[in-house]
């Protein structure tokens, strides 16, 4: 059985991973740095297969590695920090830091102050890729092979004949496997008290499966359910009224939910793929995406997620099982 220390290490990974958009949602990739060198600050954590990017620092703060001072996430946090209400629904931003010729942003540690909490990471949006990432129309045999490995019937007759598909086709196929495309959100990972984090929840996509998973996460605790609903509705209203969100496309952001016996928290995280809109464009974050309109479904996902939590609250006396947690 994993020790308490191992449980907390995995939990800490889940929180840090939620701040690292490029990292896969799996605690198995956590590697505690065994040997410290002068070029690596004390407490450095490394994610296997990815650049070292997160440095835990003093209590309540983590540092996230960025490309430079003009990084999209830096600009996002700087603009959000100018809006008092909006800044309250994202991790606290404490500015830039340069160490050993590397740039970092300092952010609030979302687990600080919680004791053995339950955690859920929910990816928001009907589209989790930038349009620029799928603009290349080259047919790719490798993506065709990935598609048929998951579902051999998914390609069209023409795609079977070519044995290749575009990246856009593959990304849309991948989104359709989860609830992202249909509901505007998907449950990425969760952790229950005293348990190791669960990953690979993307295929939990039907309304009933999602409700059952949320029910188990909330454990029929009506006070927590009520507080989370209040928090989620407040966050939605803030986003609707925010100047930042009215002028930005928000791709790949997540909702990070934490609760224990004393506290409940929910924050919008990950702005590495936020992009300012051209002057002639505006988005409502709810309309269907069409190439060029920059809609990503952020608020549609919030609407659907709130509805799912409301349903769970209404039937909180029931206990069903989507997953053996």
């Amino acid at each position: 059985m994993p020790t308490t220390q191992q449980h907390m290490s995995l939990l800490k990974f889940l929180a840090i991973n939620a701040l690292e958009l490029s990292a896969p949602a799996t605690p198995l990739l956590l590697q505690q740095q065994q040997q410290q060198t002068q070029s690596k600050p004390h407490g450095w954590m490394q994610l296997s297969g990815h650049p070292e990017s997160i440095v835990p620092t003093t209590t309540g703060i983590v540092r996230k590695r960025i490309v430079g001072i003009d990084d999209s996430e830096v600009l996002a946090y700087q603009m959000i920090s100018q809006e008092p209400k909006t800044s309250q629904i994202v991790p606290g931003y404490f500015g830039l830091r340069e160490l050993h010729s590397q740039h970092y942003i300092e952010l609030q540690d979302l687990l600080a102050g919680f004791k053995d909490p339950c955690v859920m990471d929910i990816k928001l949006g009907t589209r989790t890729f930038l349009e620029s990432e799928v603009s290349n129309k080259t047919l790719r045999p490798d993506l065709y092979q990935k598609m048929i490995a998951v579902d051999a019937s998914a390609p069209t007759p023409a795609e079977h004949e070519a044995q290749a598909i575009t990246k856009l086709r593959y990304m849309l196929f991948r989104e359709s496997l989860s609830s992202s495309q249909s509901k505007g959100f998907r449950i990425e990972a969760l952790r229950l008290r005293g348990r190791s984090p669960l990953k690979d929840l993307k295929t939990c996509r039907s309304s009933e499966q999602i409700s059952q998973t949320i029910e188990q996460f909330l454990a029929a605790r009506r006070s927590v359910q009520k507080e989370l609903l209040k928090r989620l509705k407040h966050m939605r209203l803030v986003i609707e009224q925010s100047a930042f969100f009215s002028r930005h496309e928000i791709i790949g952001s997540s909702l990070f939910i934490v609760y224990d016996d004393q506290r409940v928290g929910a924050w919008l995280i990950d702005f590495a793929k936020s992009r300012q809109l051209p002057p002639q464009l505006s988005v409502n974050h709810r309309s269907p995406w069409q190439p060029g309109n920059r809609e990503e479904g952020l608020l549609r996902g919030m609407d659907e997620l709130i509805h799912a939590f409301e349903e769970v609250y209404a039937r909180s006396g029931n206990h069903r099982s989507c997953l053996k947690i």
Side-chain angles (χ1 to χ4, degrees):
M1 294 293 293
T3 65
T4 300
Q5 184 177 4
Q6 288 172 328
H7 278 314
M8 294 310 295
S9 294
L10 292 173
L11 179 57
K12 178 66 68 174
F13 167 80
L14 185 58
I16 290 175
N17 179 72
L19 295 172
E20 175 51 48
L21 184 64
S22 63
T26 167
L28 300 180
L29 298 180
L30 178 63
Q31 292 185 349
Q32 181 69 44
Q33 190 71 15
Q34 298 298 319
Q35 294 181 344
Q36 303 296 333
T37 67
Q38 292 183 350
S39 63
K40 296 178 181 179
H42 179 72
W44 185 271
M45 286 186 178
Q46 181 176 0
L47 301 180
S48 177
H50 294 270
E52 295 172 333
S53 54
I54 297 292
V55 184
T57 61
T58 57
T59 302
I61 296 177
V62 295
R63 289 186 186 132
K64 180 178 180 181
R65 184 177 178 177
I66 56 174
V67 175
I69 59 174
D70 294 326
D71 186 274
S72 295
E73 195 152 26
V74 174
L75 299 177
Y77 275 110
Q78 288 176 341
M79 284 184 273
I80 289 173
S81 66
Q82 302 302 310
E83 301 180 18
K85 290 184 179 180
T86 310
S87 63
Q88 296 302 308
I89 68 170
V90 304
Y93 172 64
F94 303 113
L96 289 163
R97 176 82 57 153
E98 184 175 354
L99 293 170
H100 309 295
S101 301
Q102 297 292 336
H103 290 92
Y104 301 86
I105 53 175
E106 293 192 333
L107 299 171
Q108 174 188 1
D109 180 352
L110 299 181
L111 291 177
F114 287 93
K115 183 177 180 181
D116 193 20
C118 295
V119 182
M120 181 176 278
D121 181 10
I122 304 168
K123 186 73 68 179
L124 292 174
T126 54
R127 168 173 61 94
T128 59
F129 54 86
L130 292 166
E131 292 185 7
S132 60
E133 295 175 321
V134 295
S135 59
N136 192 327
K137 297 182 179 180
T138 301
L139 293 176
R140 293 180 53 178
D142 61 321
L143 297 182
Y144 170 80
Q145 292 298 326
K146 285 185 176 183
M147 176 184 279
I148 63 174
V150 175
D151 184 357
S153 66
T156 65
E159 289 168 343
H160 275 305
E161 183 177 354
Q163 295 192 0
I165 57 175
T166 64
K167 185 173 182 180
L168 173 59
R169 173 75 169 97
Y170 176 73
M171 294 299 287
L172 291 174
F173 164 73
R174 195 176 71 171
E175 302 284 37
S176 71
L177 298 176
S178 71
S179 58
S180 289
Q181 199 172 84
S182 60
K183 295 185 177 298
F185 74 87
R186 67 174 182 249
I187 300 173
E188 287 278 291
L190 64 83
R191 186 262 188 187
L192 301 182
R193 175 170 297 175
R195 310 282 187 90
S196 298
L198 288 174
K199 61 185 184 70
D200 297 332
L201 301 180
K202 298 181 181 65
T203 55
C204 188
R205 58 181 177 175
S206 72
S207 296
E208 185 65 13
Q209 288 175 327
I210 290 168
S211 292
Q212 292 167 359
T213 304
I214 293 173
E215 280 179 353
Q216 293 198 42
F217 173 68
L218 297 176
R221 300 180 63 165
R222 289 183 64 81
S223 61
V224 173
Q225 296 169 13
K226 186 176 181 179
E227 182 61 31
L228 274 177
L229 273 172
K230 179 181 177 181
R231 175 71 171 170
L232 293 179
K233 290 178 179 180
H234 171 71
M235 292 177 72
R236 178 173 63 182
L237 180 61
V238 170
I239 292 171
E240 290 173 334
Q241 298 176 344
S242 165
F244 171 81
F245 284 97
S246 70
R247 297 299 312 144
H248 284 78
E249 169 188 25
I250 310 297
I251 298 294
S253 289
S254 293
L255 187 69
F256 193 71
I257 297 174
V258 188
Y259 77 87
D260 61 13
D261 289 334
Q262 304 297 326
R263 300 172 57 200
V264 176
W267 297 268
L268 190 65
I269 61 175
D270 291 338
F271 296 97
K273 289 190 176 183
S274 65
R275 296 293 186 271
Q276 188 165 354
L277 298 169
Q280 71 275 14
L281 277 183
S282 62
V283 295
N284 58 35
H285 304 290
R286 288 186 171 98
S287 296
W289 174 65
Q290 297 176 351
N293 73 358
R294 307 287 285 274
E295 291 286 358
E296 82 298 85
L298 177 75
L299 282 174
R300 181 187 170 191
M302 288 289 290
D303 293 339
E304 292 282 353
L305 184 64
I306 289 170
H307 178 68
F309 272 82
E310 286 176 331
E311 285 192 334
V312 169
Y313 183 70
R315 64 179 195 181
S316 60
N318 297 330
H319 298 278
R320 298 177 176 85
S321 177
C322 167
L323 301 167
K324 291 184 178 180
I325 297 178

